[in-house]
Amino acid sequence: MKLNYDKETDSLYIHLSERASVDSDEVADGVVLDFDENGGLVGIDVQHASQKPDIQSIVLSHLPLHDLQAA
């Protein structure tokens, strides 16, 4: 899983998979889910991310991590 924030577009993209997105669905104002060819969820796009509450910090809890990188 990767989290990427684009300052120019003020969007946060959560990559859940490396599979390509072929379909999208806006499930709430500014929140788009991306799906692969089998309907599996591959990403979440949060538009106007800096305006969403609690976006200023990330808390990871009880994740089975093998690697953690920050850039």
Side-chain angles (χ1 to χ4, degrees), residues 17-71:
S17 170
E18 296 296 325
R19 295 186 306 273
S21 169
V22 298
D23 192 20
S24 298
D25 187 16
E26 186 169 8
V27 296
D29 185 35
V31 178
V32 178
L33 304 181
D34 289 334
F35 300 94
D36 67 11
E37 63 186 3
N38 296 316
L41 183 63
V42 296
I44 302 169
D45 185 17
V46 180
Q47 300 164 356
H48 311 293
S50 67
Q51 299 172 20
K52 305 290 184 194
D54 299 328
I55 199 88
Q56 300 299 315
S57 66
I58 296 174
V59 176
L60 304 174
S61 180
H62 306 290
L63 294 175
L65 297 175
H66 297 285
D67 186 28
L68 178 62
Q69 300 177 17

